[in-house]
Amino acid sequence: IVEVAGNRIDYRLHNCIFFEIAVKRPEMVCENLHMSFHHGLVQAMGKEIELTRPKCMTRGDPYCEHVCIFHS
């Protein structure tokens, strides 16, 4: 976790268990699998959330960074 501020959590992942596949098929792994996992967690928590991924290892970044903004 990089930062927690109010209703926002920013966190980074430095190792992805799907990286080898994600490099070849980022739309499948990063867009579908990973984001679906996060949306499932959100549904289980019963909160509205806005998820973004400003940094991604498949785009050449050194880590994947996720920003979660919780809405009431």
Short mmCIF file of all heavy atoms in Angstrom, two decimals:
data_model
loop_
_atom_site.label_atom_id
_atom_site.label_comp_id
_atom_site.label_asym_id
_atom_site.label_seq_id
_atom_site.Cartn_x
_atom_site.Cartn_y
_atom_site.Cartn_z
N ILE A 1 0.86 -1.17 0.00
CA ILE A 1 0.00 0.00 0.00
C ILE A 1 0.90 1.23 0.00
O ILE A 1 1.78 1.36 0.83
CB ILE A 1 -0.95 0.00 1.21
CG1 ILE A 1 -1.92 -1.18 1.09
CG2 ILE A 1 -1.69 1.33 1.31
CD1 ILE A 1 -2.87 -1.34 2.24
N VAL A 2 0.65 2.10 -0.95
CA VAL A 2 1.44 3.31 -1.11
C VAL A 2 0.84 4.47 -0.33
O VAL A 2 1.55 5.24 0.32
CB VAL A 2 1.56 3.70 -2.60
CG1 VAL A 2 2.33 4.98 -2.79
CG2 VAL A 2 2.18 2.57 -3.40
N GLU A 3 -0.50 4.58 -0.39
CA GLU A 3 -1.15 5.70 0.27
C GLU A 3 -2.60 5.35 0.60
O GLU A 3 -3.28 4.68 -0.17
CB GLU A 3 -1.14 6.92 -0.65
CG GLU A 3 -1.73 8.16 -0.04
CD GLU A 3 -1.65 9.36 -0.96
OE1 GLU A 3 -1.09 9.27 -2.06
OE2 GLU A 3 -2.17 10.41 -0.56
N VAL A 4 -3.03 5.80 1.76
CA VAL A 4 -4.44 5.71 2.16
C VAL A 4 -4.84 7.12 2.56
O VAL A 4 -4.24 7.71 3.45
CB VAL A 4 -4.65 4.74 3.34
CG1 VAL A 4 -6.10 4.75 3.78
CG2 VAL A 4 -4.19 3.34 2.98
N ALA A 5 -5.83 7.66 1.86
CA ALA A 5 -6.27 9.02 2.15
C ALA A 5 -7.79 9.09 1.99
O ALA A 5 -8.29 8.96 0.87
CB ALA A 5 -5.59 10.01 1.21
N GLY A 6 -8.49 9.23 3.09
CA GLY A 6 -9.94 9.33 3.04
C GLY A 6 -10.55 8.08 2.43
O GLY A 6 -10.40 6.98 2.95
N ASN A 7 -11.20 8.24 1.29
CA ASN A 7 -11.86 7.12 0.62
C ASN A 7 -11.02 6.53 -0.51
O ASN A 7 -11.53 5.83 -1.36
CB ASN A 7 -13.22 7.57 0.08
CG ASN A 7 -13.09 8.60 -1.03
OD1 ASN A 7 -12.09 9.31 -1.13
ND2 ASN A 7 -14.10 8.70 -1.86
N ARG A 8 -9.72 6.80 -0.50
CA ARG A 8 -8.84 6.36 -1.59
C ARG A 8 -7.70 5.50 -1.07
O ARG A 8 -7.09 5.83 -0.04
CB ARG A 8 -8.29 7.59 -2.31
CG ARG A 8 -7.33 7.27 -3.41
CD ARG A 8 -6.84 8.55 -4.05
NE ARG A 8 -5.71 8.26 -4.92
CZ ARG A 8 -5.52 8.85 -6.08
NH1 ARG A 8 -6.35 9.77 -6.51
NH2 ARG A 8 -4.46 8.54 -6.80
N ILE A 9 -7.43 4.41 -1.79
CA ILE A 9 -6.29 3.54 -1.48
C ILE A 9 -5.50 3.37 -2.77
O ILE A 9 -6.04 3.00 -3.80
CB ILE A 9 -6.74 2.16 -0.97
CG1 ILE A 9 -7.54 2.30 0.33
CG2 ILE A 9 -5.53 1.24 -0.78
CD1 ILE A 9 -8.17 1.00 0.79
N ASP A 10 -4.20 3.64 -2.70
CA ASP A 10 -3.30 3.39 -3.82
C ASP A 10 -2.35 2.26 -3.40
O ASP A 10 -1.79 2.32 -2.31
CB ASP A 10 -2.44 4.62 -4.13
CG ASP A 10 -3.26 5.82 -4.61
OD1 ASP A 10 -4.49 5.82 -4.42
OD2 ASP A 10 -2.66 6.75 -5.15
N TYR A 11 -2.21 1.27 -4.26
CA TYR A 11 -1.27 0.21 -3.94
C TYR A 11 -0.55 -0.26 -5.20
O TYR A 11 -1.01 -0.04 -6.31
CB TYR A 11 -1.95 -0.95 -3.21
CG TYR A 11 -2.92 -1.76 -4.04
CD1 TYR A 11 -2.49 -2.91 -4.69
CD2 TYR A 11 -4.23 -1.37 -4.18
CE1 TYR A 11 -3.38 -3.66 -5.46
CE2 TYR A 11 -5.12 -2.11 -4.93
CZ TYR A 11 -4.69 -3.25 -5.57
OH TYR A 11 -5.56 -3.97 -6.33
N ARG A 12 0.60 -0.88 -5.00
CA ARG A 12 1.44 -1.34 -6.10
C ARG A 12 1.71 -2.83 -5.99
O ARG A 12 1.87 -3.36 -4.89
CB ARG A 12 2.77 -0.60 -6.09
CG ARG A 12 2.63 0.85 -6.38
CD ARG A 12 3.96 1.54 -6.34
NE ARG A 12 3.77 2.98 -6.59
CZ ARG A 12 4.64 3.90 -6.25
NH1 ARG A 12 5.79 3.56 -5.68
NH2 ARG A 12 4.38 5.16 -6.49
N LEU A 13 1.78 -3.46 -7.14
CA LEU A 13 2.18 -4.86 -7.24
C LEU A 13 3.48 -4.91 -8.03
O LEU A 13 3.55 -4.38 -9.14
CB LEU A 13 1.10 -5.68 -7.96
CG LEU A 13 -0.27 -5.70 -7.30
CD1 LEU A 13 -1.26 -6.44 -8.20
CD2 LEU A 13 -0.20 -6.36 -5.95
N HIS A 14 4.49 -5.53 -7.44
CA HIS A 14 5.79 -5.60 -8.09
C HIS A 14 6.05 -6.95 -8.75
O HIS A 14 7.00 -7.09 -9.51
CB HIS A 14 6.89 -5.29 -7.08
CG HIS A 14 6.85 -3.88 -6.58
ND1 HIS A 14 7.49 -2.86 -7.23
CD2 HIS A 14 6.20 -3.33 -5.53
CE1 HIS A 14 7.28 -1.73 -6.59
NE2 HIS A 14 6.48 -1.99 -5.56
N ASN A 15 5.24 -7.92 -8.44
CA ASN A 15 5.38 -9.24 -9.07
C ASN A 15 4.00 -9.77 -9.40
O ASN A 15 3.12 -9.81 -8.57
CB ASN A 15 6.16 -10.21 -8.19
CG ASN A 15 5.55 -10.38 -6.83
OD1 ASN A 15 4.64 -9.66 -6.46
ND2 ASN A 15 6.03 -11.35 -6.08
N CYS A 16 3.83 -10.14 -10.64
CA CYS A 16 2.54 -10.63 -11.11
C CYS A 16 2.69 -12.10 -11.47
O CYS A 16 3.56 -12.46 -12.27
CB CYS A 16 2.09 -9.83 -12.32
SG CYS A 16 0.59 -10.44 -13.10
N ILE A 17 1.85 -12.94 -10.90
CA ILE A 17 1.96 -14.37 -11.20
C ILE A 17 1.55 -14.68 -12.64
O ILE A 17 1.85 -15.74 -13.15
CB ILE A 17 1.15 -15.23 -10.21
CG1 ILE A 17 -0.34 -14.89 -10.27
CG2 ILE A 17 1.69 -15.08 -8.80
CD1 ILE A 17 -1.21 -15.84 -9.47
N PHE A 18 0.89 -13.72 -13.29
CA PHE A 18 0.45 -13.90 -14.67
C PHE A 18 1.31 -13.13 -15.66
O PHE A 18 0.94 -12.98 -16.82
CB PHE A 18 -1.00 -13.44 -14.83
CG PHE A 18 -1.96 -14.16 -13.94
CD1 PHE A 18 -2.57 -13.51 -12.88
CD2 PHE A 18 -2.26 -15.50 -14.15
CE1 PHE A 18 -3.46 -14.17 -12.06
CE2 PHE A 18 -3.14 -16.18 -13.33
CZ PHE A 18 -3.74 -15.50 -12.28
N PHE A 19 2.46 -12.61 -15.22
CA PHE A 19 3.23 -11.68 -16.05
C PHE A 19 3.60 -12.24 -17.43
O PHE A 19 3.46 -11.54 -18.43
CB PHE A 19 4.49 -11.21 -15.32
CG PHE A 19 5.25 -10.17 -16.09
CD1 PHE A 19 4.72 -8.90 -16.24
CD2 PHE A 19 6.47 -10.46 -16.66
CE1 PHE A 19 5.39 -7.92 -16.96
CE2 PHE A 19 7.16 -9.50 -17.38
CZ PHE A 19 6.63 -8.23 -17.53
N GLU A 20 4.06 -13.47 -17.49
CA GLU A 20 4.46 -14.03 -18.79
C GLU A 20 3.29 -14.07 -19.77
O GLU A 20 3.46 -13.77 -20.95
CB GLU A 20 5.05 -15.43 -18.61
CG GLU A 20 6.40 -15.41 -17.92
CD GLU A 20 6.97 -16.80 -17.71
OE1 GLU A 20 6.38 -17.79 -18.18
OE2 GLU A 20 8.02 -16.89 -17.05
N ILE A 21 2.13 -14.42 -19.28
CA ILE A 21 0.95 -14.42 -20.15
C ILE A 21 0.49 -12.98 -20.41
O ILE A 21 0.10 -12.64 -21.53
CB ILE A 21 -0.20 -15.23 -19.51
CG1 ILE A 21 0.21 -16.68 -19.33
CG2 ILE A 21 -1.48 -15.13 -20.33
CD1 ILE A 21 -0.73 -17.49 -18.47
N ALA A 22 0.57 -12.14 -19.40
CA ALA A 22 0.10 -10.76 -19.53
C ALA A 22 0.89 -9.98 -20.58
O ALA A 22 0.33 -9.14 -21.28
CB ALA A 22 0.18 -10.04 -18.18
N VAL A 23 2.18 -10.26 -20.69
CA VAL A 23 2.99 -9.58 -21.70
C VAL A 23 2.48 -9.91 -23.11
O VAL A 23 2.41 -9.04 -23.97
CB VAL A 23 4.48 -9.96 -21.56
CG1 VAL A 23 5.29 -9.48 -22.75
CG2 VAL A 23 5.04 -9.39 -20.28
N LYS A 24 2.08 -11.16 -23.30
CA LYS A 24 1.57 -11.59 -24.60
C LYS A 24 0.13 -11.18 -24.83
O LYS A 24 -0.28 -10.88 -25.95
CB LYS A 24 1.69 -13.11 -24.74
CG LYS A 24 3.12 -13.59 -24.72
CD LYS A 24 3.18 -15.11 -24.76
CE LYS A 24 4.63 -15.56 -24.63
NZ LYS A 24 4.73 -17.00 -24.51
N ARG A 25 -0.67 -11.17 -23.77
CA ARG A 25 -2.12 -10.91 -23.88
C ARG A 25 -2.59 -9.97 -22.76
O ARG A 25 -3.40 -10.37 -21.92
CB ARG A 25 -2.90 -12.22 -23.81
CG ARG A 25 -2.57 -13.28 -24.84
CD ARG A 25 -3.17 -13.01 -26.21
NE ARG A 25 -4.57 -12.70 -26.22
CZ ARG A 25 -5.56 -13.58 -26.34
NH1 ARG A 25 -5.30 -14.87 -26.47
NH2 ARG A 25 -6.80 -13.18 -26.35
N PRO A 26 -2.10 -8.73 -22.73
CA PRO A 26 -2.49 -7.83 -21.63
C PRO A 26 -3.98 -7.56 -21.56
O PRO A 26 -4.53 -7.38 -20.49
CB PRO A 26 -1.70 -6.55 -21.91
CG PRO A 26 -1.35 -6.62 -23.34
CD PRO A 26 -1.22 -8.08 -23.68
N GLU A 27 -4.65 -7.56 -22.71
CA GLU A 27 -6.09 -7.30 -22.69
C GLU A 27 -6.85 -8.41 -21.98
O GLU A 27 -7.87 -8.17 -21.34
CB GLU A 27 -6.64 -7.09 -24.11
CG GLU A 27 -6.74 -8.35 -24.95
CD GLU A 27 -5.43 -8.92 -25.49
OE1 GLU A 27 -4.38 -8.25 -25.40
OE2 GLU A 27 -5.46 -10.06 -26.00
N MET A 28 -6.31 -9.63 -22.05
CA MET A 28 -6.96 -10.76 -21.40
C MET A 28 -6.66 -10.76 -19.90
O MET A 28 -7.56 -10.87 -19.08
CB MET A 28 -6.50 -12.08 -22.02
CG MET A 28 -7.13 -13.30 -21.38
SD MET A 28 -6.57 -14.85 -22.10
CE MET A 28 -4.91 -14.98 -21.42
N VAL A 29 -5.40 -10.62 -19.55
CA VAL A 29 -5.00 -10.74 -18.14
C VAL A 29 -5.26 -9.45 -17.37
O VAL A 29 -5.96 -9.46 -16.36
CB VAL A 29 -3.52 -11.15 -18.03
CG1 VAL A 29 -3.07 -11.15 -16.58
CG2 VAL A 29 -3.30 -12.51 -18.65
N CYS A 30 -4.72 -8.35 -17.86
CA CYS A 30 -4.81 -7.09 -17.10
C CYS A 30 -6.22 -6.51 -17.12
O CYS A 30 -6.73 -6.08 -16.10
CB CYS A 30 -3.83 -6.07 -17.65
SG CYS A 30 -2.11 -6.62 -17.57
N GLU A 31 -6.82 -6.48 -18.29
CA GLU A 31 -8.12 -5.85 -18.41
C GLU A 31 -9.24 -6.74 -17.89
O GLU A 31 -10.14 -6.27 -17.21
CB GLU A 31 -8.40 -5.46 -19.86
CG GLU A 31 -7.41 -4.48 -20.43
CD GLU A 31 -7.34 -3.18 -19.64
OE1 GLU A 31 -8.37 -2.72 -19.12
OE2 GLU A 31 -6.23 -2.63 -19.53
N ASN A 32 -9.21 -8.00 -18.20
CA ASN A 32 -10.33 -8.87 -17.84
C ASN A 32 -10.12 -9.60 -16.52
O ASN A 32 -10.89 -9.43 -15.59
CB ASN A 32 -10.60 -9.89 -18.96
CG ASN A 32 -11.08 -9.21 -20.21
OD1 ASN A 32 -11.81 -8.24 -20.15
ND2 ASN A 32 -10.68 -9.70 -21.35
N LEU A 33 -9.10 -10.41 -16.44
CA LEU A 33 -8.90 -11.26 -15.26
C LEU A 33 -8.65 -10.44 -14.00
O LEU A 33 -9.33 -10.58 -13.00
CB LEU A 33 -7.75 -12.24 -15.50
CG LEU A 33 -7.41 -13.16 -14.35
CD1 LEU A 33 -8.57 -14.12 -14.10
CD2 LEU A 33 -6.15 -13.94 -14.66
N HIS A 34 -7.67 -9.56 -14.07
CA HIS A 34 -7.27 -8.82 -12.88
C HIS A 34 -8.36 -7.85 -12.43
O HIS A 34 -8.70 -7.78 -11.25
CB HIS A 34 -5.97 -8.06 -13.17
CG HIS A 34 -5.29 -7.59 -11.93
ND1 HIS A 34 -4.73 -8.44 -11.01
CD2 HIS A 34 -5.10 -6.35 -11.45
CE1 HIS A 34 -4.22 -7.73 -10.02
NE2 HIS A 34 -4.43 -6.47 -10.27
N MET A 35 -8.92 -7.09 -13.36
CA MET A 35 -9.95 -6.13 -12.99
C MET A 35 -11.23 -6.85 -12.54
O MET A 35 -11.92 -6.38 -11.64
CB MET A 35 -10.22 -5.16 -14.13
CG MET A 35 -9.02 -4.26 -14.45
SD MET A 35 -8.38 -3.33 -13.03
CE MET A 35 -9.51 -1.95 -13.01
N SER A 36 -11.53 -8.00 -13.12
CA SER A 36 -12.70 -8.77 -12.68
C SER A 36 -12.52 -9.25 -11.25
O SER A 36 -13.47 -9.26 -10.46
CB SER A 36 -12.94 -9.95 -13.61
OG SER A 36 -13.29 -9.50 -14.89
N PHE A 37 -11.31 -9.65 -10.92
CA PHE A 37 -11.00 -10.06 -9.55
C PHE A 37 -11.30 -8.91 -8.58
O PHE A 37 -11.96 -9.10 -7.56
CB PHE A 37 -9.54 -10.48 -9.45
CG PHE A 37 -9.09 -10.74 -8.04
CD1 PHE A 37 -9.44 -11.90 -7.39
CD2 PHE A 37 -8.30 -9.81 -7.38
CE1 PHE A 37 -9.03 -12.14 -6.08
CE2 PHE A 37 -7.88 -10.04 -6.08
CZ PHE A 37 -8.25 -11.20 -5.44
N HIS A 38 -10.84 -7.71 -8.92
CA HIS A 38 -11.08 -6.56 -8.06
C HIS A 38 -12.56 -6.23 -7.95
O HIS A 38 -13.06 -5.93 -6.88
CB HIS A 38 -10.31 -5.33 -8.57
CG HIS A 38 -8.88 -5.35 -8.19
ND1 HIS A 38 -7.92 -5.91 -8.98
CD2 HIS A 38 -8.26 -4.91 -7.07
CE1 HIS A 38 -6.76 -5.80 -8.38
NE2 HIS A 38 -6.93 -5.21 -7.22
N HIS A 39 -13.27 -6.30 -9.06
CA HIS A 39 -14.70 -6.01 -9.02
C HIS A 39 -15.44 -7.05 -8.16
O HIS A 39 -16.41 -6.71 -7.48
CB HIS A 39 -15.29 -5.93 -10.43
CG HIS A 39 -14.95 -4.65 -11.11
ND1 HIS A 39 -15.49 -3.44 -10.75
CD2 HIS A 39 -14.11 -4.39 -12.14
CE1 HIS A 39 -15.00 -2.49 -11.51
NE2 HIS A 39 -14.16 -3.03 -12.37
N GLY A 40 -15.00 -8.29 -8.19
CA GLY A 40 -15.60 -9.32 -7.34
C GLY A 40 -15.41 -9.01 -5.87
O GLY A 40 -16.33 -9.18 -5.06
N LEU A 41 -14.23 -8.54 -5.51
CA LEU A 41 -13.98 -8.15 -4.12
C LEU A 41 -14.89 -7.00 -3.71
O LEU A 41 -15.44 -6.99 -2.61
CB LEU A 41 -12.52 -7.73 -3.94
CG LEU A 41 -11.48 -8.83 -4.00
CD1 LEU A 41 -10.08 -8.24 -3.89
CD2 LEU A 41 -11.71 -9.84 -2.89
N VAL A 42 -15.03 -6.05 -4.60
CA VAL A 42 -15.87 -4.89 -4.31
C VAL A 42 -17.32 -5.31 -4.11
O VAL A 42 -17.98 -4.86 -3.17
CB VAL A 42 -15.75 -3.87 -5.46
CG1 VAL A 42 -16.80 -2.78 -5.33
CG2 VAL A 42 -14.36 -3.26 -5.46
N GLN A 43 -17.82 -6.18 -4.96
CA GLN A 43 -19.19 -6.65 -4.82
C GLN A 43 -19.38 -7.37 -3.49
O GLN A 43 -20.40 -7.22 -2.82
CB GLN A 43 -19.58 -7.55 -5.98
CG GLN A 43 -19.82 -6.78 -7.25
CD GLN A 43 -20.21 -7.70 -8.39
OE1 GLN A 43 -19.89 -8.89 -8.39
NE2 GLN A 43 -20.89 -7.15 -9.38
N ALA A 44 -18.39 -8.15 -3.11
CA ALA A 44 -18.47 -8.87 -1.84
C ALA A 44 -18.50 -7.90 -0.65
O ALA A 44 -19.14 -8.18 0.36
CB ALA A 44 -17.30 -9.83 -1.71
N MET A 45 -17.84 -6.77 -0.80
CA MET A 45 -17.81 -5.77 0.27
C MET A 45 -19.08 -4.93 0.28
O MET A 45 -19.37 -4.26 1.28
CB MET A 45 -16.60 -4.85 0.10
CG MET A 45 -15.28 -5.54 0.32
SD MET A 45 -13.87 -4.53 -0.12
CE MET A 45 -14.18 -3.02 0.72
N GLY A 46 -19.82 -4.93 -0.83
CA GLY A 46 -21.06 -4.16 -0.90
C GLY A 46 -20.85 -2.67 -1.03
O GLY A 46 -21.66 -1.88 -0.54
N LYS A 47 -19.77 -2.26 -1.66
CA LYS A 47 -19.48 -0.83 -1.83
C LYS A 47 -19.33 -0.51 -3.31
O LYS A 47 -18.96 -1.35 -4.10
CB LYS A 47 -18.19 -0.46 -1.11
CG LYS A 47 -18.21 -0.72 0.36
CD LYS A 47 -17.60 0.41 1.09
CE LYS A 47 -17.68 0.13 2.57
NZ LYS A 47 -17.84 1.27 3.34
N GLU A 48 -19.61 0.75 -3.63
CA GLU A 48 -19.32 1.24 -4.97
C GLU A 48 -17.85 1.66 -4.99
O GLU A 48 -17.37 2.27 -4.04
CB GLU A 48 -20.20 2.45 -5.30
CG GLU A 48 -21.65 2.12 -5.47
CD GLU A 48 -21.92 1.33 -6.73
OE1 GLU A 48 -21.28 1.59 -7.76
OE2 GLU A 48 -22.77 0.43 -6.69
N ILE A 49 -17.17 1.32 -6.07
CA ILE A 49 -15.76 1.64 -6.15
C ILE A 49 -15.38 2.01 -7.57
O ILE A 49 -15.94 1.50 -8.53
CB ILE A 49 -14.89 0.46 -5.65
CG1 ILE A 49 -13.44 0.88 -5.52
CG2 ILE A 49 -15.02 -0.72 -6.56
CD1 ILE A 49 -12.58 -0.13 -4.81
N GLU A 50 -14.44 2.92 -7.67
CA GLU A 50 -13.86 3.29 -8.95
C GLU A 50 -12.43 2.75 -8.96
O GLU A 50 -11.64 3.05 -8.06
CB GLU A 50 -13.85 4.82 -9.07
CG GLU A 50 -13.24 5.34 -10.32
CD GLU A 50 -13.19 6.86 -10.31
OE1 GLU A 50 -13.95 7.49 -9.55
OE2 GLU A 50 -12.37 7.40 -11.06
N LEU A 51 -12.12 1.92 -9.93
CA LEU A 51 -10.80 1.30 -10.03
C LEU A 51 -10.07 1.82 -11.26
O LEU A 51 -10.64 1.82 -12.35
CB LEU A 51 -10.92 -0.22 -10.15
CG LEU A 51 -11.52 -0.96 -8.97
CD1 LEU A 51 -11.81 -2.39 -9.37
CD2 LEU A 51 -10.59 -0.92 -7.79
N THR A 52 -8.84 2.23 -11.08
CA THR A 52 -8.00 2.60 -12.21
C THR A 52 -6.63 1.97 -12.03
O THR A 52 -6.23 1.62 -10.92
CB THR A 52 -7.86 4.13 -12.37
OG1 THR A 52 -7.32 4.67 -11.17
CG2 THR A 52 -9.19 4.78 -12.67
N ARG A 53 -5.92 1.82 -13.12
CA ARG A 53 -4.57 1.26 -13.11
C ARG A 53 -3.66 2.19 -13.91
O ARG A 53 -3.41 1.98 -15.08
CB ARG A 53 -4.60 -0.15 -13.69
CG ARG A 53 -3.34 -0.94 -13.42
CD ARG A 53 -3.40 -2.36 -13.99
NE ARG A 53 -3.59 -2.36 -15.42
CZ ARG A 53 -4.72 -2.68 -16.05
NH1 ARG A 53 -5.78 -3.03 -15.37
NH2 ARG A 53 -4.82 -2.63 -17.35
N PRO A 54 -3.16 3.25 -13.26
CA PRO A 54 -2.35 4.23 -13.99
C PRO A 54 -1.00 3.69 -14.45
O PRO A 54 -0.42 4.23 -15.39
CB PRO A 54 -2.19 5.38 -13.01
CG PRO A 54 -2.49 4.82 -11.67
CD PRO A 54 -3.41 3.65 -11.88
N LYS A 55 -0.50 2.66 -13.80
CA LYS A 55 0.77 2.06 -14.22
C LYS A 55 0.59 0.56 -14.36
O LYS A 55 -0.12 -0.06 -13.58
CB LYS A 55 1.88 2.37 -13.21
CG LYS A 55 2.21 3.85 -13.12
CD LYS A 55 3.43 4.07 -12.26
CE LYS A 55 3.71 5.55 -12.12
NZ LYS A 55 4.38 6.11 -13.25
N CYS A 56 1.26 -0.01 -15.36
CA CYS A 56 1.14 -1.44 -15.62
C CYS A 56 2.45 -1.97 -16.18
O CYS A 56 3.04 -1.36 -17.08
CB CYS A 56 -0.01 -1.68 -16.60
SG CYS A 56 -0.33 -3.43 -16.92
N MET A 57 2.90 -3.08 -15.65
CA MET A 57 4.16 -3.68 -16.10
C MET A 57 4.13 -4.05 -17.58
O MET A 57 5.15 -4.00 -18.25
CB MET A 57 4.53 -4.89 -15.24
CG MET A 57 4.90 -4.50 -13.82
SD MET A 57 5.57 -5.85 -12.82
CE MET A 57 4.15 -6.91 -12.66
N THR A 58 2.96 -4.39 -18.11
CA THR A 58 2.88 -4.75 -19.53
C THR A 58 3.02 -3.52 -20.43
O THR A 58 3.24 -3.66 -21.62
CB THR A 58 1.58 -5.48 -19.88
OG1 THR A 58 0.46 -4.62 -19.64
CG2 THR A 58 1.44 -6.76 -19.07
N ARG A 59 2.92 -2.33 -19.85
CA ARG A 59 3.14 -1.09 -20.61
C ARG A 59 4.53 -0.55 -20.37
O ARG A 59 4.84 0.60 -20.70
CB ARG A 59 2.09 -0.05 -20.23
CG ARG A 59 0.67 -0.46 -20.58
CD ARG A 59 -0.34 0.67 -20.40
NE ARG A 59 -0.34 1.23 -19.06
CZ ARG A 59 -1.38 1.21 -18.23
NH1 ARG A 59 -2.50 0.63 -18.60
NH2 ARG A 59 -1.30 1.76 -17.05
N GLY A 60 5.39 -1.36 -19.71
CA GLY A 60 6.77 -0.96 -19.48
C GLY A 60 7.05 -0.31 -18.14
O GLY A 60 8.18 0.07 -17.86
N ASP A 61 6.03 -0.19 -17.29
CA ASP A 61 6.24 0.39 -15.97
C ASP A 61 6.91 -0.63 -15.05
O ASP A 61 6.78 -1.84 -15.26
CB ASP A 61 4.89 0.82 -15.37
CG ASP A 61 4.25 1.96 -16.16
OD1 ASP A 61 4.95 2.95 -16.44
OD2 ASP A 61 3.05 1.84 -16.49
N PRO A 62 7.63 -0.18 -14.02
CA PRO A 62 8.32 -1.12 -13.13
C PRO A 62 7.40 -1.87 -12.18
O PRO A 62 7.81 -2.80 -11.50
CB PRO A 62 9.29 -0.23 -12.34
CG PRO A 62 8.68 1.13 -12.39
CD PRO A 62 7.94 1.21 -13.70
N TYR A 63 6.13 -1.49 -12.11
CA TYR A 63 5.14 -2.13 -11.24
C TYR A 63 3.75 -1.79 -11.77
O TYR A 63 3.59 -0.91 -12.62
CB TYR A 63 5.28 -1.65 -9.80
CG TYR A 63 5.38 -0.15 -9.67
CD1 TYR A 63 4.24 0.65 -9.73
CD2 TYR A 63 6.61 0.47 -9.51
CE1 TYR A 63 4.33 2.02 -9.64
CE2 TYR A 63 6.71 1.85 -9.42
CZ TYR A 63 5.56 2.62 -9.49
OH TYR A 63 5.65 3.98 -9.40
N CYS A 64 2.76 -2.49 -11.26
CA CYS A 64 1.37 -2.15 -11.55
C CYS A 64 0.87 -1.35 -10.36
O CYS A 64 1.04 -1.74 -9.21
CB CYS A 64 0.51 -3.40 -11.71
SG CYS A 64 0.94 -4.40 -13.15
N GLU A 65 0.28 -0.22 -10.64
CA GLU A 65 -0.27 0.62 -9.57
C GLU A 65 -1.78 0.69 -9.74
O GLU A 65 -2.27 0.91 -10.84
CB GLU A 65 0.33 2.03 -9.62
CG GLU A 65 -0.16 2.89 -8.48
CD GLU A 65 0.62 4.18 -8.39
OE1 GLU A 65 1.81 4.13 -8.04
OE2 GLU A 65 0.03 5.24 -8.68
N HIS A 66 -2.47 0.48 -8.64
CA HIS A 66 -3.93 0.49 -8.65
C HIS A 66 -4.42 1.59 -7.72
O HIS A 66 -3.87 1.78 -6.64
CB HIS A 66 -4.47 -0.86 -8.16
CG HIS A 66 -4.07 -1.99 -9.03
ND1 HIS A 66 -4.86 -2.45 -10.05
CD2 HIS A 66 -2.94 -2.74 -9.04
CE1 HIS A 66 -4.24 -3.46 -10.66
NE2 HIS A 66 -3.08 -3.65 -10.06
N VAL A 67 -5.45 2.27 -8.17
CA VAL A 67 -6.08 3.32 -7.36
C VAL A 67 -7.54 2.90 -7.16
O VAL A 67 -8.25 2.65 -8.12
CB VAL A 67 -6.00 4.69 -8.07
CG1 VAL A 67 -6.74 5.75 -7.26
CG2 VAL A 67 -4.55 5.10 -8.28
N CYS A 68 -7.93 2.81 -5.91
CA CYS A 68 -9.30 2.42 -5.55
C CYS A 68 -9.94 3.60 -4.81
O CYS A 68 -9.44 4.03 -3.78
CB CYS A 68 -9.29 1.22 -4.62
SG CYS A 68 -8.41 -0.19 -5.26
N ILE A 69 -11.04 4.09 -5.35
CA ILE A 69 -11.77 5.17 -4.70
C ILE A 69 -13.14 4.61 -4.33
O ILE A 69 -13.91 4.18 -5.19
CB ILE A 69 -11.91 6.40 -5.63
CG1 ILE A 69 -10.52 6.92 -5.98
CG2 ILE A 69 -12.76 7.48 -4.93
CD1 ILE A 69 -10.53 8.03 -7.00
N PHE A 70 -13.41 4.59 -3.04
CA PHE A 70 -14.67 4.05 -2.52
C PHE A 70 -15.71 5.16 -2.45
O PHE A 70 -15.43 6.25 -1.95
CB PHE A 70 -14.46 3.45 -1.13
CG PHE A 70 -13.59 2.24 -1.15
CD1 PHE A 70 -12.21 2.35 -1.03
CD2 PHE A 70 -14.14 0.98 -1.30
CE1 PHE A 70 -11.40 1.24 -1.05
CE2 PHE A 70 -13.34 -0.14 -1.32
CZ PHE A 70 -11.97 -0.01 -1.21
N HIS A 71 -16.90 4.87 -2.96
CA HIS A 71 -18.01 5.82 -2.93
C HIS A 71 -19.07 5.28 -1.97
O HIS A 71 -19.26 4.09 -1.84
CB HIS A 71 -18.61 6.01 -4.32
CG HIS A 71 -17.61 6.50 -5.32
ND1 HIS A 71 -17.19 7.80 -5.36
CD2 HIS A 71 -16.95 5.85 -6.32
CE1 HIS A 71 -16.31 7.95 -6.33
NE2 HIS A 71 -16.15 6.79 -6.93
N SER A 72 -19.76 6.17 -1.32
CA SER A 72 -20.80 5.78 -0.36
C SER A 72 -21.96 5.09 -1.03
O SER A 72 -22.33 5.34 -2.10
CB SER A 72 -21.32 7.00 0.38
OG SER A 72 -20.27 7.64 1.05
#
